[in-house]
Amino acid sequence: MHGIRTAAQARAWLDQQGKSVQEFAREHGVDPATTYQVLAGRKKGRRGEAHRVAVLLGMKLGTISAALENGQR
């Protein structure tokens, strides 16, 4: 990946993979509502699950803690 994706680029990336937001959320063990909120800009991805979603979508550089990676909250 080159650079950080915008929300529109992240949606296009999901479309290129043939995945819905719901499928992406299920595959990564995140809340679909949080994923939609990050894509819509209502959550900025600064901490917690929103941060994890933003990093997974390539909308933010960062790391995901082991606890969040294993689906723990």
Side-chain angles (χ1 to χ4, degrees):
M1 175 179 65
H2 301 289
I4 297 174
R5 293 184 181 117
T6 64
Q9 290 170 331
R11 283 187 180 274
W13 175 71
L14 288 173
D15 286 343
Q16 285 174 342
Q17 294 185 348
K19 292 182 186 177
S20 68
V21 174
Q22 294 280 336
E23 287 175 296
F24 173 85
R26 256 192 314 275
E27 286 177 9
H28 294 283
V30 294
D31 180 42
T34 301
T35 306
Y36 281 112
Q37 290 168 347
V38 169
L39 285 168
R42 287 188 296 275
K43 288 196 175 188
K44 304 298 181 197
R46 292 192 176 123
R47 61 190 67 83
E49 189 167 30
H51 169 80
R52 180 173 183 225
V53 169
V55 171
L56 290 170
L57 287 170
M59 295 174 64
K60 179 179 180 180
L61 296 177
T63 58
I64 300 170
S65 73
L68 286 176
E69 197 169 318
N70 293 327
Q72 299 170 357
R73 296 179 193 209

